[in-house]
Amino acid sequence: MNAPHPLVIRARSLADGLLVPHAERVDREGVPASHIEEVKRSGLLGVSAPREYGGAAAPVSVAHRTAEILAGACCSTWFVQTQHHTPVQTLATSEGPVRERLLSRLASGELLSGVAYAHLRAHPRVPVRVARDRGGWRFDGSVPWYTGWGLNDVMLLAGVSDTDEALFAFTEAREQPGLRASEPMRLAALSASRTVSLELDGLWLPEEAVAVRMPYDRWAAADRLRTVNANPAVFGVAEAALSLVDEETAVPLRARLSEVRGRAYALAAHAAPDERVPERLALKTQAYEVLRTATTAAVVSVGGRSMLLTNRAQRLAREALFLLVQGQTRESRTAHLHALTG
């Protein structure tokens, strides 16, 4: 058997030594900056980043496993840091000056980035508009969800232009002229992730802050393919839930989890991104079913104590609810509802 990748070992050490022992407190009080500093030092923020910029360029299997470990240990901390990987991947394919300015700092963990682009999926409604202004770009509108406020150093912000282009640019993740944040939202799960809404009223960013400009339809087609695969965090939280269940109950559920995970990852690895989309969505739905069963089994096994906010089983069950809708699109919602109704 091959030895685990060094980043998998670091993820497990971080999970066992820090994240798991404090997960219930974090769930109630919020992800502390000290957790993020440990994630930065671990090298995990560069798991998929190019080597020439200080990243690990690790196989996708390593990215999957580290995500499972972090999500199963403390889903709130996982969710804050998982935002970072999209900006890294965006810069890795960008040709603008912002790549040279930021990519090595993100890959090394010197900086943590958040994202503000899920609102693009509301198209043809346009929550955030961008327009040419003074040699740069002006952003106006509302970002409904932004995770990691007060923890992130920078953010990747997106909007749509009058010519139906999707534009992505980097700015500092702080209040500034034209950018104001709400108070952190109280959520049924992952309130600890410091999620806010952002109001944009004439936020101006220079041309050199732009990472990507492309026709909206082209971006949406690529985004659709990114959201049809099962989320590794689903398997991580399910695995954590099964650790709370007696072995007689856990064995068949672990077998089912392993089977669905193996099929989902194999399909994502070996088929072209636009191939077998219905099968990918079906496996994504099956992963949710495994998650629901595992977290329900944990709650039932623990009994009445699972109603305490200090109990791990109820936290995992609430995190499972969150993962049902995280990154949800109309297509994934339709496929999931169709599966639920037979």
Side-chain angles (χ1 to χ4, degrees):
M1 181 179 292
N2 293 332
H5 190 281
L7 287 181
V8 173
I9 295 172
R10 287 181 213 167
R12 177 53 65 194
S13 175
L14 183 64
D16 293 345
L18 177 67
L19 302 186
V20 171
H22 298 287
E24 277 65 61
R25 178 179 61 79
V26 167
D27 180 61
R28 297 191 304 273
E29 299 177 8
V31 175
S34 56
H35 272 36
I36 298 305
E37 289 306 312
E38 289 302 318
V39 172
K40 286 180 170 181
R41 281 193 282 268
S42 72
L44 291 166
L45 294 179
V47 60
S48 301
R51 282 196 180 89
E52 60 268 31
Y53 286 88
V60 69
S61 59
V62 173
H64 285 163
R65 187 59 189 145
T66 55
E68 291 175 1
I69 291 169
L70 296 182
C74 177
C75 203
S76 293
T77 301
W78 163 80
F79 191 51
V80 171
Q81 68 81 43
T82 201
Q83 315 293 315
H84 178 90
H85 301 293
T86 295
V88 168
Q89 292 161 6
T90 299
L91 285 174
T93 58
S94 173
E95 297 179 353
V98 71
R99 170 178 171 147
E100 300 306 317
R101 180 166 62 87
L102 287 180
L103 183 50
S104 63
R105 301 178 74 190
L106 296 181
S108 69
E110 177 188 347
L111 299 178
L112 178 72
S113 182
V115 293
Y117 75 88
H119 51 275
L120 294 188
R121 296 175 183 144
H123 199 271
R125 187 168 58 84
V126 181
V128 176
R129 292 198 172 274
V130 294
R132 276 286 188 189
D133 183 32
R134 294 173 287 150
W137 296 91
R138 175 188 172 110
F139 287 75
D140 290 281
S142 299
V143 175
W145 307 95
Y146 179 81
T147 293
W149 186 254
L151 296 170
N152 297 323
D153 302 295
V154 296
M155 74 168 78
L156 179 62
L157 172 65
V160 177
S161 72
D162 290 340
T163 57
D164 222 27
E165 275 192 318
L167 183 144
F168 292 73
F170 281 89
T171 186
E172 292 183 7
R174 59 174 179 80
E175 291 204 347
Q176 54 188 291
L179 189 160
R180 185 176 71 256
S182 72
E183 291 297 313
M185 297 180 189
R186 290 181 57 82
L187 306 174
L190 275 71
S191 276
S193 64
R194 302 200 196 183
T195 296
V196 300
S197 61
L198 302 176
E199 291 300 319
L200 306 171
D201 183 14
L203 173 68
W204 184 85
L205 298 180
E207 181 66 39
E208 55 265 29
V210 175
V212 174
R213 277 177 66 192
M214 67 174 65
Y216 175 83
D217 288 346
R218 184 173 144 208
W219 174 83
D223 179 66
R224 169 182 176 266
L225 298 177
R226 282 191 294 268
T227 57
V228 298
N229 294 313
N231 183 349
V234 168
F235 301 121
V237 173
E239 195 171 52
L242 292 180
S243 72
L244 305 178
V245 176
D246 67 85
E247 275 302 298
E248 182 179 358
T249 304
V251 166
L253 296 180
R254 283 202 189 98
R256 175 62 173 156
L257 185 155
S258 180
E259 184 258 338
V260 173
R261 175 169 50 195
R263 288 169 57 205
Y265 286 171
L267 183 56
H270 298 122
D274 58 348
E275 291 179 346
R276 300 168 69 179
V277 169
E279 188 177 350
R280 293 171 193 260
L281 287 168
L283 282 167
K284 185 174 185 174
T285 298
Q286 290 172 39
Y288 287 145
E289 182 63 18
V290 170
L291 176 64
R292 181 192 65 80
T293 303
T295 53
T296 299
V299 169
V300 171
S301 294
V302 171
R305 288 175 293 124
S306 66
M307 294 299 100
L308 297 171
L309 288 177
T310 54
N311 186 269
R312 189 179 183 197
Q314 61 78 30
R315 173 177 61 81
L316 293 169
R318 287 187 291 106
E319 291 170 352
L321 287 175
F322 170 83
L323 291 172
L324 292 179
V325 298
Q326 189 253 328
Q328 186 185 64
T329 64
R330 281 189 289 270
E331 186 174 29
S332 63
R333 181 188 301 114
T334 299
H336 196 171
L337 290 173
H338 180 74
L340 290 172
T341 56

